[in-house]
Amino acid sequence: MATLSACGAVVLPLVGVQLDAEGVPHVLLRPCGDDKIRGPGLQGFAGTNQAEGGGLLDGENLSGWKVPAEHAPGDVDFPLFAPPSQWAAAQVGDQDLRAGLTYQISFGKAEFNYEYTGLVTFRLTDIDALEPGQVWADDRSMTREAFEELAEESC
């Protein structure tokens, strides 16, 4: 794993998206151990531009949700546009996947310097191309088992 520095949080592949049996996208969120997380959210931005170095995108959120508080969720899976009710998420814009938007799900470790950020960036075409049992994470599709192993090893 990369050495942590005072320059900011390291970005880790701790978030994935998978389709359930009915074709509904679900978030797979895997914070490290029992870490509390801060600011989980889904943001949909116009266009396809990615931030340099795979970091957080910037711009107007057109489709998603935002959670203002800290939580200690452990591993959690939930529908893309329906985060756990105890998170009291605020909806932003349309609550469905739209062509032409680039989506990003992220969270930070709840510490003064964040230490790490869990992140996945995707488009509708990435999710539509998933086969049963596949997860979109780390800018590619993989098996659920490969995602779980990647997230575990990233911590």
Side-chain angles (χ1 to χ4, degrees):
M1 185 169 92
T3 302
L4 299 178
S5 71
C7 295
V10 64
V11 175
L12 300 176
L14 302 176
V15 184
V17 179
Q18 180 178 35
L19 297 174
D20 69 9
E22 288 79 40
V24 175
H26 277 245
V27 175
L28 310 175
L29 192 136
R30 303 295 184 258
C32 296
D34 294 331
D35 289 347
K36 283 189 174 184
I37 63 171
R38 179 184 306 158
L42 168 66
Q43 300 175 345
F45 300 97
T48 60
N49 294 337
Q50 296 236 1
E52 273 189 49
L56 296 171
L57 295 174
D58 191 21
E60 181 182 3
N61 187 1
L62 302 172
S63 174
W65 44 267
K66 183 176 181 181
V67 176
E70 292 182 4
H71 296 277
D75 291 351
V76 62
D77 303 358
F78 55 88
L80 184 62
F81 290 98
S85 60
Q86 66 269 27
W87 287 8
Q91 293 182 346
V92 178
D94 294 329
Q95 298 296 293
D96 57 352
L97 282 175
R98 296 181 7 206
L101 294 185
T102 299
Y103 291 88
Q104 191 166 72
I105 304 167
S106 62
F107 69 89
K109 181 179 177 185
E111 289 190 1
F112 72 95
N113 65 357
Y114 280 100
E115 189 177 323
Y116 67 82
T117 297
L119 177 74
V120 67
T121 303
F122 60 94
R123 298 182 47 76
L124 176 60
T125 54
D126 299 324
I127 304 308
D128 283 346
L130 291 175
E131 298 291 329
Q134 288 187 317
V135 174
W136 182 265
D138 201 29
D139 296 324
R140 59 194 163 100
S141 63
M142 61 187 73
T143 65
R144 172 78 180 250
E145 294 78 18
F147 167 71
E148 299 291 355
E149 186 175 308
L150 177 65
E152 178 78 23
E153 290 175 355
S154 295
C155 291

